[in-house]
Amino acid sequence: MVQKLDYLKETPSQTAGPYVHIGLAPGAAGFDIYEQELGWDIAGPNAAGERIRVEGLVIDGTGSPIKDVLLEAWQANAQGVYAHPEGGGDVEEGFRGWGRVITDFATGEWGFDTVKPGKTPGRNVGTQAPHINLWIVARGINLGLNTRIYFEDEAEANATDPVLNLIEWERRRATLIAKRSERDGTPVYRIEIRIQGEDETVFFDI
Amino acid sequence: MPSQGEFYQRDRERHPPAYTKDYKTSVARSPQYSPISLQNSVSEITGPVFGHSDIDPMDRDLLHNYAQPGESAIGERIILHGRVLDENARPVPNTLVEIWQANAGGRYRHKKDTYLAPIDPNFGGCGRTITDADGYYYFRTVKPGAYPWRNWVNSWRPAHIHVSVFGSGFAQRLISQVYFEGDPLIAKCPIVKTIPNQDAIDSLVALLDMNATVPLDSIAYKFDIVLRGRRSTLFENRLEGN
């Protein structure tokens, strides 16, 4: 018998189930238990850059919106810095870059206000186009799904983004790009995340 | 703090695949394309940072965090405790651990839960805490009850507590469920059985820990959580140490 390597194994995932909001967003589930809800203000009041709104739906294989989904957003600030010791620098006071996003339980619509992220460093060289990292859990999703939101009006940066370019099927790249419009003077980016079926969103094993 | 490299790749043979037909809800909620493998960049290596000021120490006590003054949740009082480690067996300090669960009768405090077991007026069912410097966490709560659910006609979930953990990078983000040693429903549960590997299933079962009980107060279960490990940065003059 050879020696053991003695690494541990990651704890396996289980679905977040239908009541994920009880644990992660109790205020949205309808009961106030904590002094402070986590992840409700992504950018904070002092963040520089363009204020934007991001909206969308998560749609299942039958074409129906998933109404019990919970998304987490993780993004850099307008300078491309993440609020983390290895994030590449300092961020504005109150900028967290992380948000918890809940759907309207009746329609499945979700949305959040933030600042548009800047370009971030690529893995070894070059830069990544502005993007928001998303993590999606819900009943029936056995392992949280990782994806990204890119921005329609960053066509030049998107064209050289190393992650978008990793997607061999060019038509699938479009599933990650949010469409821009404007409401009351604020840019609104909309994206529909399709879990399955035609135009299935690209998910990443990160 | 020394600069570090990417996380070890996720061992997908121990995680449930997306499509698991016996857990019926997964059928329409499972991607059909394989996920695209991405080597980590700063987007994945970084993740949200939490401080002790975000969390009230009371948030970890589910016996009392929703109870009227002087009251306490009803049920078998337990301590759920353990450490958050990475695959290198190093503790993960200052990380957020959140839990949610049904009450002792198997009923969630949620308007969509219509199971006929009663709501406990003194039990909310959610808690959160931050690991200490050794990666240690604990909660006080009641052991949740088993409950029926609409999968097969007569499906019952084993007693379980949902657990959500962050780690230091977004790539470590994880939600799982804690089961309890000796529960005969574990082996029958379609959600448990989404995991293809028995050894991986066993790692979700908390062991009765008599040494951590509080005599005449609470029984205890120990549950360690393992997040993905991380390489150190490659140094050409120290290849053996990476």
Side-chain angles (χ1 to χ4, degrees), chain A residues 18-190:
Chain A
Y19 304 127
V20 58
H21 305 89
I22 293 176
L24 304 190
F31 58 116
D32 55 336
I33 186 163
Y34 302 135
E35 294 264 318
Q36 192 183 345
E37 291 274 339
L38 297 175
W40 283 28
D41 188 2
I42 299 177
N46 305 314
E50 186 181 26
R51 296 272 159 178
I52 62 169
R53 180 158 181 87
V54 182
E55 294 180 345
L57 284 171
V58 181
I59 297 169
D60 72 12
T62 72
S64 309
I66 301 184
K67 295 169 183 170
D68 57 359
V69 75
L70 181 134
L71 305 96
E72 285 184 356
W74 175 239
Q75 67 164 89
N77 72 2
Q79 286 76 44
V81 177
Y82 284 96
H84 184 271
E86 296 170 83
D90 294 323
V91 296
E92 300 89 341
E93 172 80 32
F95 177 87
R96 189 146 234 175
W98 171 74
R100 270 199 178 138
V101 187
I102 12 256
T103 50
D104 180 307
F105 294 149
T107 64
E109 284 280 344
W110 52 264
F112 58 93
D113 298 305
T114 184
V115 295
K116 195 170 174 193
K119 294 178 184 173
T120 52
R123 174 178 156 74
N124 291 317
V125 290
T127 55
Q128 306 186 82
H131 65 275
I132 297 173
N133 307 285
L134 271 193
W135 184 75
I136 302 167
V137 291
R139 178 173 70 107
I141 294 177
N142 288 328
L143 175 61
L145 297 170
N146 287 96
T147 186
R148 289 180 169 201
I149 299 173
Y150 287 87
F151 301 94
E152 183 181 34
D153 53 345
E154 296 284 349
E156 203 174 312
N158 292 344
T160 57
D161 179 78
V163 171
L164 286 173
N165 281 303
L166 197 62
I167 303 166
E168 188 182 343
W169 311 275
E170 285 182 33
R171 62 182 292 268
R172 295 200 72 207
R173 294 177 194 167
T175 66
L176 302 183
I177 296 172
K179 299 264 188 300
R180 187 180 195 277
S181 63
E182 217 168 272
R183 188 188 306 140
D184 305 330
T186 303
V188 178
Y189 292 92
R190 185 168 179 91

Side-chain angles (χ1 to χ4, degrees), chain B residues 87-107:
Chain B
E87 290 173 299
N88 299 314
R90 295 188 185 115
V92 182
N94 299 314
T95 207
L96 181 63
V97 181
E98 295 164 286
I99 63 169
W100 66 101
Q101 63 170 100
N103 69 24
R107 174 88 180 256

